[in-house]
Amino acid sequence: MAEKQDITMDKIVSLCKRRGFVFPGSEIYGGLANSWDFGPYGTELKNNIKQYWWKTFVHGRDDMIGLDSAIIMNPKVWEASGHLENFQDPMVECKNCHERFRADIVDLSASCEKCGERRGFTDFKQFNLLFRTHIGPTEETSSIAYLRPETAQGIFINFDNIVNTTRKKLPFGVAQIGKAFRNEITPGNFIFRIREFEQMEIEYFFNPKKENWEEKFEMWLESFKKWMNDIGVDSKKLYFHDIEKEELAHYSKKTIDVEFDFPFGKKELFGLAYRGDFDLKNHKISYTDPETQEKFIPHVIEPSLGVDRMMLAVLVSAYTEEKTEDDIRTVLKIDKKLAPIKVAVFPLMKNKPELVEKAKDIFDKLKIDFMCEFDDNGNVGKRYRRQDEIGTPYCVTVDFESLEDGAVTVRDRDTMKQERIKISELQNYFKNNLQ
Ligand code: ATP
């Protein structure tokens, strides 16, 4: 088996392209730097991550509800939240090639990463990461709007609507999944830092006089540790970085950056922050306790995840190279519930109508309950290898014997073991094994 340090970004990027997980964006027009399109299998994988998050944290709890708010909001939202003034990164420019870098990330004493020269960098200036656009046909100052840089503010500004329509009482949380946009100075590392990405965010509201925030914080941290374990994120690569007091945002009493050991280094995977009453206060929103009539501003704990970063962590955790008798097998040992395709169905040979017909029949029945793929291209060995790289847990092959004994060969992705299963039993077999 490959040592984990053998897993390079080149291997992950190449597999993603080769197998239809992630394509370079706008490729036929020469591409667009740091933009990526999710291919058929990447889309399935991303959807499965989002669905399992929603299932766990919204449907699986009685104190959570969901929301889907707008991407373009009244600019006053960003004024109140502080993004217009403060959502900026310090930027420097290489004096030789004029490439721009984030001053807090680049080594200012070293040579330029782009041109290799050592002519130094300019003094830093603040650069606002908000993406600007205009609403309507005129490009005047009054029509300026912004693409949201996070989904969270959509939750805060709907707090009253949510309380009034759902009858939720504190403590409760609101979850949202959706696109966010940041005009990053230095995007890169594949889908790790992009300008258009997806977030899965929760704002968990509570009464600071009734609830112990440390307990709630711990509860969310534990819930996310379990969730990551459930989707196969390698726990040996996870680090929980408790941000030191001096480095905390002024409104936060505690923030943990959850880091993952990516092939390009240990970097933030997601954040968990106790944000006090900062956000609701900015929007002048309060809550009245229905029992005591006490009016106050709820406090909030925010687990904020990036879908794309989580997908990259899942891919890095699952990527495996195994030595076989004659070569190296690349296999994505991805958790079964995340696998883009659950079962691949093959006729042994493409030019034998009776095999193809039987295989199509099995495919049609299985696809009602499981995400399936039919494949009759090339030899079965090659088809297995392709499915291994996509991470498909099971392959079903219909051969000549199947026509006699009503059974098929089921091959397991991880062990490569093959067993004969009656066609009439297949549905049950997969129901039991794909839990
Ligand atoms: P970083 O320090 O890496 O820029 P951040 O601390 O600004 O991240 P947050 O504002 O806390 O990030 O956003 C929450 C999460 O959203 C991040 O932990 C990450 O998973 C995801 N995220 C943020 N920016 C990007 C991006 N440019 N590309 C992909 N995912 C992102």
Side-chain angles (χ1 to χ4, degrees):
M1 198 186 288
E3 289 294 318
K4 287 293 178 185
Q5 59 263 36
D6 294 347
I7 300 170
T8 60
M9 277 314 285
D10 282 351
K11 287 183 181 176
I12 301 281
V13 175
S14 153
L15 180 128
C16 283
K17 170 90 207 278
R18 186 166 78 241
R19 294 306 181 195
F21 282 87
V22 184
F23 304 131
S26 312
E27 200 177 11
I28 65 162
Y29 288 104
L32 174 69
N34 300 298
S35 112
W36 302 96
D37 293 335
F38 290 84
Y41 303 111
T43 306
E44 293 295 332
L45 173 56
K46 218 151 104 104
N47 281 344
N48 291 342
I49 294 174
K50 289 187 277 184
Q51 273 162 18
Y52 188 62
W53 184 89
W54 197 266
K55 186 174 163 203
T56 308
F57 298 116
V58 182
H59 294 180
R61 300 177 56 120
D62 61 6
D63 58 352
M64 290 286 301
I65 41 196
L67 181 78
D68 186 6
S69 69
I71 285 176
I72 299 175
M73 297 189 260
N74 189 318
K76 285 182 185 156
V77 172
W78 308 112
E79 205 181 302
S81 68
H83 282 80
L84 270 179
E85 201 182 335
N86 302 320
F87 194 55
Q88 43 199 19
D89 281 337
M91 179 175 77
V92 290
E93 203 175 292
C94 165
K95 285 185 178 160
N96 186 52
C97 71
H98 304 292
E99 179 75 9
R100 291 167 170 184
F101 297 95
R102 245 173 84 172
D104 55 333
I105 291 182
V106 77
D107 180 356
L108 295 171
S109 60
S111 330
C112 169
E113 282 171 26
K114 179 86 185 296
C115 66
E117 291 295 320
R118 223 191 170 115
R119 287 188 51 195
F121 297 90
T122 57
D123 286 343
F124 78 82
K125 19 178 221 250
Q126 292 294 353
F127 175 77
N128 193 297
L129 305 184
L130 286 173
F131 259 107
R132 264 188 193 205
T133 187
H134 288 270
I135 295 179
T138 52
E139 296 205 349
E140 295 161 359
T141 327
S142 61
S143 69
I144 288 179
Y146 303 92
L147 305 186
R148 66 180 178 200
E150 58 174 39
T151 63
Q153 296 304 321
I155 299 179
F156 296 125
I157 63 165
N158 277 291
F159 183 81
D160 284 344
N161 283 335
I162 290 167
V163 170
N164 293 337
T165 51
T166 64
R167 300 171 176 212
K168 283 278 170 214
K169 295 193 186 87
L170 295 183
F172 72 88
V174 183
Q176 170 155 240
I177 300 178
K179 286 260 175 170
F181 304 81
R182 294 183 188 179
N183 203 359
E184 297 279 358
I185 299 166
T186 28
N189 287 325
F190 194 36
I191 55 171
F192 175 81
R193 187 180 302 286
I194 36 189
R195 294 195 170 106
E196 174 186 342
F197 56 101
E198 261 185 298
Q199 288 187 314
M200 309 186 271
E201 295 197 294
I202 290 172
E203 302 302 330
Y204 193 76
F205 301 101
F206 60 93
N207 181 344
K209 284 196 199 144
K210 280 195 182 160
E211 314 287 340
N212 177 324
W213 70 263
E214 273 123 331
E215 263 171 36
K216 296 285 171 215
F217 195 96
E218 201 51 33
M219 177 273 286
W220 281 109
L221 185 60
E222 287 310 310
S223 301
F224 273 92
K225 280 186 185 167
K226 177 170 183 319
W227 184 80
M228 285 192 292
N229 190 50
D230 285 352
I231 60 166
V233 173
D234 186 351
S235 61
K236 293 192 292 299
K237 287 182 182 287
L238 282 174
Y239 297 86
F240 297 86
H241 179 198
D242 210 331
I243 304 293
E244 282 164 33
K245 290 247 152 22
E246 309 77 67
E247 307 217 341
L248 280 174
H250 65 91
Y251 47 77
S252 179
K253 285 214 182 79
K254 189 176 175 80
T255 297
I256 289 189
D257 279 354
V258 179
E259 297 176 339
F260 184 82
D261 200 359
F262 291 99
F264 45 84
K266 217 161 69 179
K267 296 268 178 314
E268 176 177 324
L269 178 59
F270 75 93
L272 178 61
Y274 172 36
R275 299 176 60 90
D277 65 0
F278 180 71
D279 305 277
L280 287 182
K281 197 174 178 178
N282 281 338
H283 296 297
K284 301 187 171 49
I285 293 169
S286 60
Y287 174 85
T288 305
D289 187 308
E291 273 140 39
T292 63
Q293 299 305 314
E294 185 202 357
K295 194 173 165 189
F296 61 95
I297 304 175
H299 281 207
V300 75
I301 289 174
E302 177 190 76
S304 174
L305 281 72
V307 181
D308 316 82
R309 278 189 197 178
M310 197 51 75
M311 173 168 154
L312 187 55
V314 164
L315 286 169
V316 170
S317 303
Y319 186 96
T320 313
E321 287 176 356
E322 284 176 357
K323 233 179 156 49
T324 61
E325 268 165 35
D326 33 46
D327 65 353
I328 288 178
R329 175 175 91 116
T330 303
V331 47
L332 267 193
K333 293 196 169 174
I334 210 161
D335 184 87
K336 289 176 188 173
K337 60 181 161 305
L338 294 193
I341 305 291
K342 312 294 182 207
V343 185
V345 183
F346 312 148
L348 182 67
M349 290 152 105
K350 187 182 187 155
N351 54 3
K352 298 285 173 209
E354 60 280 31
L355 296 185
V356 173
E357 198 185 322
K358 182 122 240 125
K360 277 255 160 77
D361 196 41
I362 292 173
F363 170 74
D364 282 338
K365 292 210 177 80
L366 289 179
K367 79 176 179 351
I368 298 169
D369 293 314
F370 313 101
M371 181 66 192
C372 291
E373 186 169 270
F374 182 87
D375 187 9
D376 59 4
N377 285 292
N379 69 47
V380 170
K382 288 223 172 88
R383 289 184 233 163
Y384 282 154
R385 288 305 172 84
R386 177 170 176 276
Q387 295 298 337
D388 284 345
E389 293 198 349
I390 294 169
T392 307
Y394 296 103
C395 294
V396 167
T397 306
V398 176
D399 53 25
F400 291 104
E401 248 182 280
S402 308
L403 305 174
E404 308 291 321
D405 65 359
V408 288
T409 302
V410 175
R411 185 243 194 201
D412 181 292
R413 174 194 72 193
D414 297 342
T415 61
M416 291 194 282
K417 287 221 173 77
Q418 306 190 359
E419 43 177 333
R420 289 297 278 183
I421 307 279
K422 286 269 177 223
I423 296 171
S424 56
E425 279 303 309
L426 277 179
Q427 205 90 4
N428 268 339
Y429 178 88
F430 292 128
K431 271 206 174 115
N432 293 334
N433 284 289
L434 283 167
Q435 293 301 344

